[in-house]
Amino acid sequence: MSKRKVKETHMTVGECISQVQVILRERFCHQRLPEKPVGMESQHKHLLELLRRTAVHGESNSVLIVGPRGSGKTMLLNCVLRELLEVKDVNKNVLPVHLNGLLQTDDRIALKEITRQLNLENVVGDKVFGSFAENLAFLLEALKKGDRSSSRPVLFILDEFDLFAHHKNQTLLYNLLDVSQSAQAPVAVIGLTCRLDVLELLEKRVKSRFSHRQIHLLSSLSFRQYLDNVRSQLSLPQDFPDTKFCEEWNDGIKTLCEDQPVVDVLQRHYNSSKDFRSLHLLLMLALSRVTASKPAIKPTDLLEASRVCMVDSKANILHGLSILELCLIIAMKHLNDIYDGEPFNFQMVHNEFKKFLQRKSHSIHNFDKPVVIKAFEHLQQLELIKSMDGSTAKIQKEYQLMKLMLDHSQIMEALQKYPQCPTDVKQWALSAFG
Amino acid sequence: MKNAKVQIEGLISPFTDLATTVVAKDTTSSSTEYRLSRGYEDEKLQRVTERLPCREVQASMLLALMGEPEQCSYPSMFIYGHRATGKSHVIHTLLKELELPYATVSCVECVSVGLLFEQVLLSLFGSDSVSLLSRSPSLSDFVRVYKQLCVQAPAKQTRYIVLDRAELLRDMAANLLPAFLRLQELVEDNVTVILLSEIVWDKFRPNTGCFEPLLLHFPDYSKGELQQILSEDSHPSYSPELYSAFINILLGVFYSVCRDLRELRHLAALNFSKFVEPLEQGKVKEGDTHKLWRNIEPHLKKAMQTVYLRELPYYSKFLLIAAYLASYNPARTDKRFFLKHHGKIKKTNFLKKHEKTSNHLLGPKPFPLDRLLAIFYSVVDSRVAPTASVFCQISSLVTLQLLNQVGHDDQLDAPKYKCAVSLDFVLAISRTVSFDMVKYLYDFL
C-alpha cells in the first residue's frame, strides 16, 4: 500500500517501525513477487522460453511444474508471466486463463470459468449461458476456428493440476491437450502440482497427448544460501524513507544472522524443511514481537518464534486434561502394553482404572460410572482415542472398540509436565503392569 | 518525539504496558490524529483488557500477529485449545471492540456450504451481496462473487473470517478446508481466515497437504485462574468473599473431573442457593465456613449422579431379560441354566478357569431369535402363546434401541439380535418382576 510522501528523511521510531511492519508483512504474508526467483535460474529460463514461443510464434505447448508445497511454483510462474507480459505486443495479444483445482471442482464449473475469462460471445455481464455440451462445443469451435498465425494465443494455467485428473473422464484435460496437439488456435497448458506421480493419474489417451515436459522444483538450497535468504528476507530495501534507520536495521539483521543460537535455530528449521512458507511463518512470528519500544529483532525473538513453531500440539492438549481423563489414558496405555496394541473398549479401561483405585490410590476418590463415561467421551471428542469401526449407532458406547492415538513417550512426557500430578498416579503410570 | 513513541507502544505492546500509556496520555494530548489513524485507541484496548481476564498473553500475541488494521495479515490462523478456554470469546471481543470488519460462522449451523458462503458475504459486504450467489453456489462462485465485491469495495482494513468448530469443515466438501486456508491468495484481498477448534492441527491436514496456517494454542485455565474468573459473577445479596469461598469448595470437589469453565459456572449457579440455605434460615453466620461446607458437600456429591429408568410392559421385561442372558452367556451353558433335567455336568468342566476375560468386559454377543424365544419360555412362569404381540414387542424393543438387530441380510427368516442395555438397567428390571438375575449369569458364578 502506498504511503504518503515523506517530506523530511527523519521519521520517529514509531513511524519507522510501522513502515517496517508494512514492508515485511507484505513480503511474508502476501507472498509478494521477488525481483528474480532465487535458486531456480535454469527452470526460469526454460519456462520463459517455452511460453515466449507460444506467445510470439504461436506454438502450442504443454508443461507441468512439479515440486513440493511451498517450493515456489506459483512464484516462478508469476515471475515468468510478469516478464512475458512486459514484452511488447505480447501484452495485448496473450489471453491468460487461470483455473484452480480447488475451486473448479468439476468440468462444468471449469468450462463456465473458461468461457467467462475468455469473454466469449455467450457471456453477458458476469453470467455464462448455455448447457455444458453447448459450452464445450462453443469453446472447441472457437479454438478450432483459429490458426497459428492469426488468432491470439491462450495460456491455460491449471493450479492444483492433480485435482483436475479426478474429473469424470478427464474431459477437460483431454480437450485442452488435444487442442495443443492439433494445429488449431495456439494454446499453452501449464499445470502446477505437488504430486510427483501426477502422470500416473492421467488416462492413456490424455497422457499420450501431453508433451511430457516437466519442470521440477526440488530445492537444492544449501544452508549457507538458506541463511543468506533469511538475511535478505529480513532486510529493508534501499528506497526506505529513513536512510539512517534503514542502515541500522540492516546492520542489526546482519549481526543477528551471525549469532550462534540463532544459527542453531535456523539450522534446525532447515533440517526439518527447506520450503519458504515455513520460513516465512517463523520470520512472521519473530517480526510480530517488534514494537516501537523494542525496534529491532533480537535473538530471543527468533528463539521464541521457533519454540511456538516447533511445539507438540498433542502435548498441549494433554496438559489441559483433568486428572480423571489422564488416569483413563494411563489405563489405556497399560492395556496397550498388556495386550500388545489390541483395541479396547470402555469396560476394559474402566476395569483397569477400578483396579488401580482399589489397590493403590489414596488421592483419587471413586467416581460414578456416568462421570467416567463422560470423561471417556471427551477423550473421543478430542480424537485422542478413535473408534475402530465406523458404525456408532449399532453398538453400545461401553463396548465400542477403540484405539489410542498417542505415543508411549508422549504420555510419559505429558505426565512429567502435568501440574500437581498426584504421586500415586505417576507411579501407576511407571509400573509395567497395572 | 517521546510522546509518539509511548503511543505507538500502546498499539501493539503487551497489555501490561497499558497502564503507563494511559497515564502518559493525560499529561500530553497532542498528535491524537496520528494515533487514531494508525492503530487502535487506548480506550478501546482498555475496554478489551477488562473483558478478557486471564487471557492477556494470548490477546496481546493475537493483536501483535494481526498488526495494525491497514497492514497485511497472515492468510490463515488455527487456534486450538480445550473447550471453554476462551477461544471464540477472545477473538470476538477483539474484533468487536476494535471495530474491525469480520464475519463469524459456526460450522455446526452450516448444513450446506451455500449457507456458509452466504453468512460470510452477508457480514462482510452487506445484505445486497447475497443475491449475487446462485441457488446452490460452488466454491468457484463464492470466490468469483467475493472478488467482484472486493473490486467494488477494496479492503481498507484486514477482513477476518472466523470459523468456529472448524473440525466440521473436514466433513463438508473435500476442497473447502484447503481453499479457505489460501483464501487470501484466491480472492486477492487482505483477508485472514481464523479457524477455531478443540482438535489438534495434525488431524486436519489433507493427504496432499495444504497451506500451513499459523498455529496458536490457548492453554487451559489453572485452578487459580478458574477461581478468579468464577468469583467474578458473585451474588448481589452476599459478600464477594462468601461467593469466593463457595467457589473454592466447588472447585475442590469438581476440579479433578471437570475443568470446563462453562460447566463449572452452571454447577455454581445451580448449587449456590443450597449453599446459602443455612444462612437464610439463620442457623449459621457467614464466617462459619466449616458448617457451610458440611451442609453443601452431600448436595455436590449428589450432583455428580444421575439415575433414570423407563417403564416397560410385563412380557417385554422378560424378553429383555432373556435377551440379556442370551447375549452375555455362552450358548453351551444354556443347558445347565435352563433345562430342569440337564443330566450330569461336572462343575470343573463347566467352569473353565482359563477363560481370561469375562463377557461383561468384551460386550454382548449376537444370538439368533430361536435362542431368545427358548430362554424366554424357560424364564417366564406362565404359558405364553407365541402370538403376534410377542413378536411385535421384540421389534419394538429394537426400535427403542434396547435391542439391536445384527446384520441386515435376513429380515424375516432368522434375524440375529444383540442386547443393548447395561447390567444395572436389567437388574432393576428383573427386580420389578422378582426374577433373580444373578443366579443365571455365567460371569457371576
Side-chain angles (χ1 to χ4, degrees):
Chain A
M1 83 199 46
S2 72
K3 285 281 142 193
R4 59 228 145 118
K5 286 261 162 37
V6 185
K7 283 155 216 148
E8 77 278 64
T9 48
H10 188 75
M11 305 194 297
T12 62
V13 184
E15 281 174 310
C16 281
I17 286 299
S18 194
Q19 194 65 36
V20 167
Q21 291 271 0
V22 168
I23 294 172
L24 294 187
R25 272 172 174 273
E26 196 180 347
R27 222 179 257 169
F28 301 149
C29 304
H30 256 19
Q31 319 286 343
R32 215 177 64 129
L33 289 185
E35 296 300 312
K36 199 107 180 109
V38 188
M40 41 181 84
E41 284 75 20
S42 65
Q43 289 99 329
H44 178 250
K45 216 177 119 197
H46 185 174
L47 189 62
L48 183 60
E49 185 51 35
L50 202 72
L51 294 190
R52 185 182 285 143
R53 285 213 298 271
T54 303
V56 178
H57 304 298
E59 188 182 299
S60 288
N61 279 313
S62 51
V63 64
L64 269 179
I65 306 175
V66 185
R69 289 206 181 259
S71 59
K73 302 178 289 290
T74 313
M75 191 266 294
L76 173 70
L77 181 69
N78 285 341
C79 278
V80 167
L81 283 180
R82 183 180 62 185
E83 220 164 304
L84 190 72
L85 293 178
E86 277 167 12
V87 179
K88 234 175 139 188
D89 300 342
V90 171
N91 192 2
K92 276 184 232 136
N93 208 12
V94 166
L95 293 165
V97 175
H98 291 270
L99 297 177
N100 192 319
L102 287 175
L103 302 182
Q104 282 77 45
T105 41
D106 62 44
D107 282 347
R108 183 183 304 268
I109 301 171
L111 203 63
K112 279 202 167 169
E113 191 64 26
I114 293 173
T115 323
R116 207 174 57 77
Q117 289 194 21
L118 285 177
N119 258 319
L120 294 180
E121 284 132 48
N122 55 347
V123 180
V124 177
D126 218 26
K127 291 253 158 46
V128 179
F129 293 96
S131 67
F132 176 72
E134 279 167 15
N135 274 330
L136 184 65
F138 195 83
L139 179 71
L140 288 179
E141 200 188 340
L143 288 172
K144 246 182 218 150
K145 260 191 207 156
D147 59 56
R148 208 173 144 162
S149 50
S150 63
S151 47
R152 297 168 69 178
V154 186
L155 303 182
F156 287 102
I157 295 149
L158 306 178
D159 205 349
E160 308 276 353
F161 184 81
D162 48 300
L163 293 180
F164 284 100
H166 294 308
H167 294 185
K168 199 177 167 236
N169 293 339
Q170 306 187 340
T171 316
L172 182 79
L173 289 183
Y174 173 79
N175 283 308
L176 287 184
L177 291 170
D178 192 47
V179 170
S180 84
Q181 283 289 305
S182 45
Q184 298 169 0
V187 296
V189 181
I190 308 147
L192 296 107
T193 180
C194 59
R195 285 188 68 164
L196 283 172
D197 63 340
V198 65
L199 284 184
E200 309 299 312
L201 299 174
L202 297 179
E203 278 177 26
K204 209 168 150 195
R205 60 190 183 124
V206 180
K207 202 165 154 187
S208 71
R209 280 164 175 77
F210 174 59
S211 69
H212 288 264
R213 257 193 221 99
Q214 291 195 33
I215 295 177
H216 286 273
L217 290 181
L218 302 171
S219 174
S220 56
L221 214 61
S222 71
F223 181 60
R224 249 317 3 118
Q225 286 168 314
Y226 188 78
L227 217 54
D228 285 344
N229 193 27
V230 171
R231 193 169 54 235
S232 67
Q233 289 282 335
L234 282 174
S235 300
L236 292 176
Q238 289 304 318
D239 57 351
F240 191 76
D242 189 329
T243 37
K244 186 158 161 283
F245 181 85
C246 176
E247 264 170 41
E248 272 172 30
W249 174 275
N250 286 350
D251 286 344
I253 295 301
K254 208 170 165 209
T255 45
L256 179 78
C257 290
E258 282 155 10
D259 190 72
Q260 195 52 46
V262 169
V263 173
D264 289 344
V265 161
L266 290 174
Q267 177 82 56
R268 200 159 66 231
H269 276 264
Y270 172 78
N271 289 346
S272 76
S273 138
K274 288 198 246 179
D275 74 71
F276 292 110
R277 287 248 182 82
S278 60
L279 177 66
H280 282 164
L281 189 66
L282 178 78
L283 298 182
M284 174 73 195
L285 281 168
L287 176 72
S288 75
R289 297 168 62 85
V290 172
T291 58
S293 56
K294 198 172 73 56
I297 298 185
K298 294 268 173 345
T300 47
D301 293 335
L302 260 172
L303 299 187
E304 183 60 24
S306 162
R307 200 189 57 75
V308 172
C309 270
M310 291 279 186
V311 82
D312 177 12
S313 35
K314 264 193 191 151
N316 273 337
I317 288 292
L318 281 176
H319 184 277
L321 293 179
S322 68
I323 275 284
L324 173 59
E325 285 154 351
L326 199 68
C327 283
L328 291 184
I329 286 193
I330 295 172
M332 291 171 203
K333 185 198 132 236
H334 282 321
L335 284 175
N336 260 347
D337 289 347
I338 298 167
Y339 298 112
D340 204 25
E342 287 286 307
F344 49 81
N345 62 27
F346 170 75
Q347 287 293 345
M348 297 177 188
V349 176
H350 191 47
N351 205 35
E352 199 71 23
F353 179 52
K354 273 198 297 204
K355 270 198 266 172
F356 163 65
L357 286 185
Q358 281 161 9
R359 264 192 268 154
K360 289 170 187 136
S361 166
H362 309 290
S363 60
I364 299 181
H365 36 264
N366 233 323
F367 295 108
D368 292 317
K369 201 169 161 190
V371 178
V372 186
I373 291 186
K374 210 178 144 193
F376 192 78
E377 278 173 355
H378 187 221
L379 291 178
Q380 195 182 354
Q381 220 167 49
L382 291 170
E383 297 188 15
L384 295 176
I385 50 177
K386 207 166 181 186
S387 172
M388 289 291 287
D389 41 13
S391 63
T392 46
K394 280 288 157 193
I395 312 169
Q396 283 163 273
K397 269 180 277 176
E398 294 98 312
Y399 295 115
Q400 256 179 46
L401 285 181
M402 297 286 194
K403 209 165 175 140
L404 185 62
M405 307 300 283
L406 288 166
D407 216 19
H408 191 280
S409 58
Q410 267 174 326
I411 299 172
M412 297 320 279
E413 208 164 302
L415 268 174
Q416 290 305 318
K417 284 184 191 152
Y418 195 82
Q420 291 152 25
C421 183
T423 330
D424 44 1
V425 172
K426 257 188 199 168
Q427 237 136 39
W428 178 41
L430 284 172
S431 65
F433 290 98
Chain B
M1 160 86 190
K2 187 173 178 260
N3 180 23
K5 187 183 165 187
V6 170
Q7 272 148 5
I8 301 281
E9 218 172 313
L11 309 180
I12 24 184
S13 66
F15 281 174
T16 41
D17 288 47
L18 263 180
T20 56
T21 325
V22 174
V23 172
K25 201 183 126 203
D26 289 338
T27 52
T28 53
S29 56
S30 61
S31 79
T32 44
E33 174 266 330
Y34 175 73
R35 182 175 64 235
L36 285 174
S37 64
R38 294 300 270 299
Y40 306 107
E41 294 162 72
D42 294 339
E43 288 163 46
K44 281 187 188 169
L45 285 178
Q46 182 70 35
R47 219 167 34 229
V48 168
T49 5
E50 276 164 18
R51 297 202 47 200
L52 302 176
C54 305
R55 277 288 168 256
E56 289 84 0
V57 182
Q58 285 74 29
S60 64
M61 181 152 179
L62 259 173
L63 263 186
L65 284 170
M66 283 153 67
E68 292 172 32
E70 299 84 15
Q71 294 169 352
C72 306
S73 180
Y74 206 74
S76 49
M77 298 189 203
F78 180 85
I79 299 176
Y80 66 103
H82 281 278
R83 199 183 307 161
T85 45
K87 299 182 292 294
S88 355
H89 179 62
V90 168
I91 292 280
H92 287 181
T93 313
L94 282 180
L95 293 176
K96 200 165 173 219
E97 294 289 336
L98 302 177
E99 291 166 11
L100 298 167
Y102 71 98
T104 54
V105 184
S106 167
C107 296
V108 187
E109 292 168 17
C110 298
V111 282
S112 72
V113 283
L115 280 172
L116 200 157
F117 300 150
E118 262 176 39
Q119 283 197 32
V120 169
L121 291 180
L122 192 71
S123 357
L124 288 183
F125 298 100
S127 52
D128 300 338
S129 58
V130 178
S131 59
L132 291 169
L133 277 179
S134 57
R135 201 135 43 112
S136 53
S138 65
L139 201 52
S140 176
D141 292 331
F142 170 68
V143 168
R144 181 173 54 82
V145 171
Y146 190 109
K147 259 182 171 169
Q148 191 184 328
L149 289 164
C150 195
V151 170
Q152 289 165 13
K156 292 185 201 78
Q157 301 181 324
T158 313
R159 294 190 173 112
Y160 293 93
I161 300 176
V162 183
L163 300 174
D164 210 343
R165 298 284 305 273
E167 62 269 17
L168 295 164
L169 276 182
R170 297 177 298 177
D171 309 331
M172 293 190 203
N175 290 334
L176 202 61
L177 182 67
F180 264 106
L181 288 171
R182 57 192 315 158
L183 193 68
Q184 189 176 88
E185 187 185 323
L186 293 173
V187 300
E188 293 156 3
D189 182 32
N190 186 8
V191 62
T192 292
V193 177
I194 300 176
L195 305 170
L196 307 177
S197 179
E198 278 179 62
I199 295 169
V200 293
W201 170 247
D202 301 342
K203 310 253 171 190
F204 280 74
R205 202 172 283 122
N207 291 340
T208 45
C210 60
F211 187 97
E212 292 286 309
L214 207 157
L215 304 185
L216 275 185
H217 178 233
F218 271 45
D220 46 304
Y221 293 115
S222 69
K223 202 171 179 179
E225 286 171 333
L226 280 176
Q227 167 96 32
Q228 187 193 333
I229 296 169
L230 284 170
S231 300
E232 263 174 23
D233 35 34
S234 66
H235 199 274
S237 47
Y238 294 96
S239 69
E241 289 79 31
L242 180 80
Y243 195 78
S244 186
F246 165 66
I247 292 295
N248 197 7
I249 290 170
L250 187 87
L251 279 179
V253 175
F254 285 103
Y255 185 65
S256 55
V257 198
C258 171
R259 298 182 172 196
D260 189 334
L261 179 64
R262 258 178 300 177
E263 202 95 352
L264 286 170
R265 188 173 271 160
H266 175 71
L267 284 168
L270 218 61
N271 289 303
F272 186 67
S273 60
K274 299 226 179 70
F275 180 70
V276 293
E277 219 167 49
L279 289 175
E280 301 259 281
Q281 293 163 350
K283 279 182 194 160
V284 280
K285 289 198 187 85
E286 261 199 33
D288 200 352
T289 37
H290 185 70
K291 271 192 184 154
L292 285 172
W293 156 243
R294 289 265 292 279
N295 175 55
I296 191 69
E297 196 197 1
H299 288 295
L300 293 182
K301 284 259 153 77
K302 207 183 273 172
M304 284 170 107
Q305 301 169 353
T306 43
V307 199
Y308 73 100
L309 239 180
R310 275 171 277 185
E311 200 51 51
L312 285 174
Y314 186 71
Y315 286 146
S316 287
K317 285 178 185 169
F318 271 107
L319 280 170
L320 201 60
I321 289 170
Y324 194 85
L325 292 174
S327 254
Y328 287 89
N329 283 350
R332 63 178 171 80
T333 61
D334 282 356
K335 223 173 163 187
R336 148 83 169 73
F337 280 126
F338 303 113
L339 280 183
K340 281 221 176 76
H341 309 287
H342 49 68
K344 266 190 181 174
I345 297 175
K346 274 190 181 171
K347 207 165 186 186
T348 45
N349 249 353
F350 175 67
L351 287 173
K352 284 190 180 157
K353 281 285 176 236
H354 62 262
E355 277 182 62
K356 266 186 261 168
T357 42
S358 74
N359 290 310
H360 278 88
L361 273 186
L362 294 172
K365 303 257 184 308
F367 53 85
L369 178 64
D370 303 351
R371 191 167 160 230
L372 171 69
L373 286 177
I375 296 177
F376 172 65
Y377 282 121
S378 81
V379 291
V380 80
D381 283 340
S382 52
R383 289 185 67 86
V384 190
T387 54
S389 98
V390 170
F391 289 102
C392 256
Q393 285 184 23
I394 293 177
S395 53
S396 67
L397 283 175
V398 173
T399 48
L400 286 171
Q401 301 206 346
L402 299 172
L403 291 185
N404 282 335
Q405 198 169 354
V406 193
H408 297 281
D409 42 341
D410 235 341
Q411 288 288 341
L412 282 177
D413 209 10
K416 284 192 163 189
Y417 297 98
K418 249 185 194 182
C419 185
V421 294
S422 66
L423 180 64
D424 296 337
F425 188 89
V426 97
L427 281 179
I429 283 184
S430 65
R431 267 197 298 277
T432 63
V433 291
S434 47
F435 175 79
D436 191 2
M437 188 80 190
V438 183
K439 223 168 78 184
Y440 288 92
L441 274 170
Y442 178 67
D443 282 346
F444 298 105
L445 280 180

